[in-house]
Amino acid sequence: TQSSEVRAAAIRRLDGVADRDALLRWLGNEDPWIRQAARSALSRSLSIDQLLQIGLPQDATRRLEMALLLRANEDPRATALVPRL
C-alpha cells in the first residue's frame, strides 16, 4: 500500500471541481495527512462561493475540516459561518 505522504501528495494535486466528491470524502479520512491534502486541494481550486455551497457536513470530522478550510479563507462570509460548524 502507498504511504500516507505519497497519497497526500497525489490528493493535493487533484482539481477541486472535477474531484470534489472524492475530496469531500477524504475530509473525513482517519489520517490527518489525507484530510489536510483534501483541504489544500479544495482551497486551491474552489472559489469561496463554491466552498459555501458545499453546506454543513453531518459528521464531526468533516465539520471540523470544513471549519478549518473556511477559517483559512479571509472572506467575511466564510469566517461568519465557522461558529455554526
Side-chain angles (χ1 to χ4, degrees):
T1 63
Q2 292 179 328
S3 70
S4 293
E5 292 84 5
V6 172
R7 287 182 61 212
I11 290 169
R12 277 187 202 93
R13 291 190 301 268
L14 294 176
D15 178 77
V17 176
D19 302 306
R20 189 185 111 163
D21 291 340
L23 291 168
L24 291 175
R25 275 194 312 276
W26 282 321
L27 287 179
N29 192 284
E30 64 184 26
D31 187 329
W33 290 101
I34 301 301
R35 293 193 311 263
Q36 188 280 333
R39 280 196 328 266
S40 177
L42 287 166
S43 69
R44 178 181 40 76
S45 52
L46 294 183
S47 70
I48 185 58
D49 290 323
Q50 290 169 315
L51 288 172
L52 292 172
Q53 287 177 0
I54 291 172
L56 302 176
Q58 295 300 314
D59 68 276
T61 302
R62 284 186 182 93
R63 287 175 81 85
L64 172 61
E65 294 301 321
M66 281 301 294
L68 292 171
L69 182 60
L70 293 172
R71 187 181 71 183
N73 188 302
E74 296 183 11
D75 187 292
R77 296 174 295 163
T79 55
L81 183 61
V82 171
R84 292 183 30 210
L85 292 170

